[in-house]
Amino acid sequence: MTEMRAGTAAGEAEVLWRPDPDRVEDSRMTAFRSWLASTKGLDLPDYESLWEWSTSDLEGFWGAIAEFFEVVFHSAPTRVLEAPVMPGASWFPGATLNYAEHALRGPDDDLAVVFHREDGLSSRLTYGELRRKVAAVRAGFQALGVRRGDRVVALVPNSPEALIAFLAAASLGATWSSCSPDFGARAIADRFTQISPTVLVAVDGYRYNGRAFDVRATVEKLRSEIPSLRATVVVDYVGGTPLPGAVTWDSLLAEHAEAPLAFEPVPFDHPLWVLYSSGTTGLPKGIVQGHGGIVLEHLKMLALHSDLGPGDRFFWFTTTGWMMWNFLVSGLLVGSTIVLFDGSPAHPDLNVLWHLAEQHRVTYFGTSAPYIQSCLKEGVHPAERYDLTGLRVVGSTGAPLTPEGFRWIASAVGAEVQIASVSGGTDLCTAFVAAAPDLPVWLGELSCRALGAAVESYSESGQPVVEQVGELVITKPMPSMPVFFWGDEDGSKLRDAYFSTFEGVWRHGDWIRITERGSAVIYGRSDSTLNRGGVRMGTSEFYRVVEGMPGVADSLVIDTSGAGRTDGELLCFLVLDDDVTLPDLEPKLRSELRTNLSPRHVPNRFVAVAEIPRTLNGKKCEVPVKKILAGTPPERAVSLDALRNPAALDPFLDLARDLPHVSSP
Ligand SMILES: CC(=O)CC(=O)O
C-alpha cells in the first residue's frame, strides 16, 4: 500500500477544550459507569476502558444499555446477540418493543417540541399534547387502511406535522419514509415508488429563503405515479387550496381527537424507517433500520455521548431528507425538547440559527461543517450578538470540520462550548466517531470512537493501524446496521455495499486516522482519494487549504489518474467570490498548496465554475464528476434527480468531451 499522508504527527495535537470535572461528575456517562460498577461489578475507570469493554463484550454492553435506559420489551429477548457475524447478526431475538413508545415517555407538562419557521411561524408542544396528536393521527391512519408493516411516506419539511405523522406510523408498526419538499418530483418518486406506500402525507408548499413554493403539482404527480397509494393527507402549510380527493391534516386530527394512544409491539428488527443512500447513480438504495437497533443506538448517542436529557433543548439544522432529522427526533427518547427549524440557514443572513439558539435557550446546537465554514468566512460572531450562555455543545457533521472551523467555534461561539465534530452516516443512522462529555476536544479531531462501535483504520491488507490513515472499518456488528436494503431479497446489494472489501468487516468508504489518544481524524471519502505519484491524500485536506483562501467560495478537486485516463491530472474547480479573478488568485493558491500539502498536490489546472454540483443532502459530487471526466456517459455516472443543482454539471460535461480517455471505468 502506498503511504497515505496524515496532516498531524502523533502527540502534537492542541487541546481546545477540556471537560469541567463537575460536569463530568454529573454526566450520564459517569452515571452509566457507576451503575456498571455497582450492578455488574465492572471497574472501568475511564472512557478508554469503557470503550474497550463495550466493543469486546457486545452482549454485556448492549444488554446494559437496554437495562440502564429501561427499554420496554413487551416480550423479553432470549439473549442479546445471536451469531455475532456481519452481515447476519441477530440482535435481541424474541424481543418485541416499539420506538414510538420510547419517544413518548416524557411527563405530560414537559416541553417536547419547539418549532420555528423562517418567516416567524412558531409553535410548541408538550409531551402530553404530542401524545394526543400522535394518537389522533394514528387512528386517522388506521381509518385510511394503514396496518402494521405498511409504508407511510411523507413529503414534509422539518415541522411538527412530520414528527407527529412519523410517530403515529411507528406506533402502528408501519414503516416511515420522508423526503424534503425541495426534492425534485423524479427524486421523490424514485424513492417512494419502490417501497409501495399505503398513505402519502404531504404539505401544499414550503418556504425557503423568503419565498413560498407550491408543491401541489408534485403531490398530484406522486398520487398518479404511485399505484399502491390508498390515501393522501395534505397539510395546509402555506395556505394553498386543498387537493381534490385528499384528506386534510386538520380533519384527520379533529375526527380522531379523542382516540387512545397505543403501541404495537414489533420484533427488534421490524422496519422503523427507510432512508436512502446518497448514491448518485441508479435508484437510491432504500436502507432499512429496525425499531430496536435505533432505540438502543440513539439512547446511547444522545444520552451518553451528547449528555442530553430532560430540560435540554436539542437542535440540529436538517431537513427531513437527511438522517440527521431522524437523529434529531430521537432527542425525544431521552426526554429532551427538540427544536425544529424549517427554512434557509442563511435567510436573512447566517445569524438566523444563532438567534434561534438564543431565543430557545438551545443547549446542544448541531449543524453541518459547511455552515460553520460559511460563518467563519462571513466573519459571523454569534457570542458578541447573542446570549448563548445556555449553550453547552456545538455539533458538526456532513463533512470534516477543518481546524479553522474548530477555532472559529472556540473564538466566536465560546471557548467553554464543547465541539462535537461527529461522523457516521445514513447507513447506521448515527455517528460512530464522536465526542463524549468526559473527553477533551483536540484541534481538528473527533474525540473518540463511540461506545459499542469497533471502528478501526485498516491498512490495505486489512490490519488495524494507529496514527496511519486507512480505510474506516467497523469490525463488530452494531444494532443500528441496516436490517436489509429494500428489494434486496438475497442480500447481495447489502453485501456488495459494505462487505466486499474485507470479509465479515464493514467498510464504510471513508479515510480515517485513529490517534494514539483514541481520537480520530476523517480525511474524506476513500473512493475519491488524490493519489499523486503514490502519495495519497483525502480530499478534505485539500479543501481545507483551498477554501481557507479569501475569495474562494467553494471548490471541487478531482484526481483523474486511475480512472480510465492515460495521463492523470489533478484538477481543481473553484467557485470564486464576485470581486476575485482566477489569474489573480492562482499563483497564491499554487504556493499555498505547495507549502501546506506538497508540490505533488499542486493541481495541473484550476478551472473557475459557477457552482459545485452537490447531492440533495449537500455533499460534493466527487465520484460522479470523476467518472464523467473519465468518459463515463453522464447518464451512467449520475442521476440528475439526485442532485440539488443539476445544471452545475454542465461545465464538467463540456470538459469531459475535450479530455482524452482510454476506457470507461
Ligand atoms: C453523522 C453523519 O455522518 C452525517 C453525514 O455526514 O451524513
Side-chain angles (χ1 to χ4, degrees), residues 322-324 397-399 422-426 430-431 619:
W322 188 24
M323 51 66 60
M324 290 312 293
T397 193
V422 305
S423 187
T426 308
T430 195
K619 307 217 176 194

Side-chain angles (χ1 to χ4, degrees), residues 48 55 117 170 174 181 234 279 300 311 317 343 346 407 449 454 504 522 581 618:
E48 191 70 68
T55 51
R117 195 167 75 177
V234 176
K300 176 204 78 180
F317 176 72
R407 282 208 193 285
R449 292 173 276 183
I522 304 279
T581 66

Side-chain angles (χ1 to χ4, degrees), residues 31-71:
F32 181 57
R33 195 181 285 120
S34 309
W35 178 85
L36 288 172
S38 61
T39 62
K40 312 283 174 198
L42 287 166
D43 178 25
L44 303 164
D46 50 23
Y47 184 84
E48 191 70 68
S49 56
L50 184 58
W51 180 80
E52 287 292 345
W53 170 72
S54 74
T55 51
S56 48
D57 181 2
L58 296 186
E59 289 217 271
F61 173 69
W62 291 104
I65 291 287
E67 215 180 314
F68 183 70
F69 291 109
E70 298 175 356
V71 169

Side-chain angles (χ1 to χ4, degrees), residues 542 546 552 555-557 570-574 576 582-583 585-591 593 601-609:
F542 189 92
V546 172
V552 177
S555 67
L556 183 75
V557 63
L570 194 63
L571 303 176
C572 176
F573 300 92
L574 297 167
L576 299 175
L582 190 53
L585 199 66
E586 193 172 320
K588 179 103 177 91
L589 266 174
R590 286 186 179 279
S591 126
L593 286 163
H601 291 88
V602 178
N604 300 80
R605 269 198 277 172
F606 289 91
V607 181
V609 291

